[in-house]
Amino acid sequence: MNEEFTAIKEYINSHLSDMVSLESLLTSHPALAPENGGDGEWEKCQALEKWLKENGITRIEHFDAPDERVTKKVRPNMVATIPGCKDDYNIWVCAHLDVVPVGELSLWNTDPWKVVEKDGKIYGRGVEDNQQGLASGVLAALSFVKQHIIPEHTIKLLFMADEEVGSTYGMNYLLKEHASLFGKDDRILIPDGGDSKGETIEVAEKSIIWFRFHTLGKQCHGSRPDQGINAKVAASDLALRINDLENFFDKKDSLFEPERSTFQPTMQLQNVAGINMIPGDDVFCADCRILPCYTLDEVRAEVNKRVKAVEEKYGVKIEVSEAQAEESLPTPVDAPVVKELAAAIKAVHGIEAKTIGIGGGTVAAGLRNLGFNAVVWSTMDELAHQPNEYAIVKNIAADALTIAYMACN
Ligand SMILES: [Zn+2]
């Protein structure tokens, strides 16, 4: 295997320009969700499928999700399989095809849909999020396929739709309709977040609830508060009580940064049009990120208690709704995927990996909730969603080599 791994390493290091061309091809097909004014990922996926087949990755299956809003009426989810010697578990590299809009165009130094290479970096929308991870998986696969080396374990490359707008047509669709794709022993890598050294393995995410609080009082003139009920005052009290949940759900977990659950009042909707009007109506939202040791139902119960207290104190009515709620189980830090990835990082890069938790929001949550041990990891500067998004080309090689190492051992 040593000799083969040397060949794999040489292949990976000498074929980075192919990955720059692949990145250029992918970026030239803007894959935006309908919510962002786009027509989905179909064309980008077609271009990728053609490229993979031309390069010898031919075992390709589709698990497309119906979506009436786009021209093709489906959102593509594609799996490429590179069979291994053993039939024990698959190594998944899951990357999303969709990208976010360019945002303010004047902030870009180059055309976001045309990849430009400069000083070891490539620039363009999607080059890092998530095409860098996609390219790492493809390069790892090619290092076997092109040299007719059969990996120890089967490699599965997943190319998903719809990650940026909630995963309904991507990972969540797959978990609902095709969960049998994944096995409980599979090693699932999601190269869609990381750090510049590639040393952190994300194993847990905080649960998320986004609350919307609509407070109803009674509007009146600014000089006559006794004739109405100031919804703003009641809502302000509630906002402080929501924020105070940080003192109630106060357990700490050093896996996460910050170590505590956070309950933050955020967006405020416009209320009255004049300074001399006492608002009878107030809407504010709160973004709550909760450590996995608490259930969302425990949080809901305490929130409702506080809402009741404010209703009673001020004589207002408060409607509570949830814009999003996602509970998230962690991947155990001693799961095989964590240990083997850490061993690969150590062997290939000579660094000690560390496990972390984050504030939340990747496709790993859905997988973990069904008992599939997924980790989020890659070597990147984290330029996602920014203007002048870039990827460092040699990071593609570093991560490809790490993935190839896992497939060899
Ligand atoms: Zn992403």
Side-chain angles (χ1 to χ4, degrees), residues 31-41 69-70 75 98-99 162 165:
L32 294 164
E35 288 88 340
N36 284 326
D39 198 29
E41 307 81 358
R69 299 169 302 170
V70 292
R75 307 288 292 279
D98 59 320
V99 296
D162 198 34
V165 200

Side-chain angles (χ1 to χ4, degrees), residues 288-326:
C288 310
R289 311 281 171 142
I290 299 136
L291 291 177
C293 59
Y294 299 112
T295 68
L296 293 187
D297 280 340
E298 289 175 270
V299 170
R300 288 183 182 111
E302 185 57 29
V303 164
N304 286 336
K305 231 193 242 174
R306 292 178 185 220
V307 163
K308 280 250 147 16
V310 171
E311 282 180 331
E312 272 162 28
K313 183 172 173 190
Y314 297 91
V316 293
K317 171 95 195 77
I318 300 172
E319 295 162 357
V320 182
S321 55
E322 294 172 13
Q324 193 192 167
E326 172 100 61

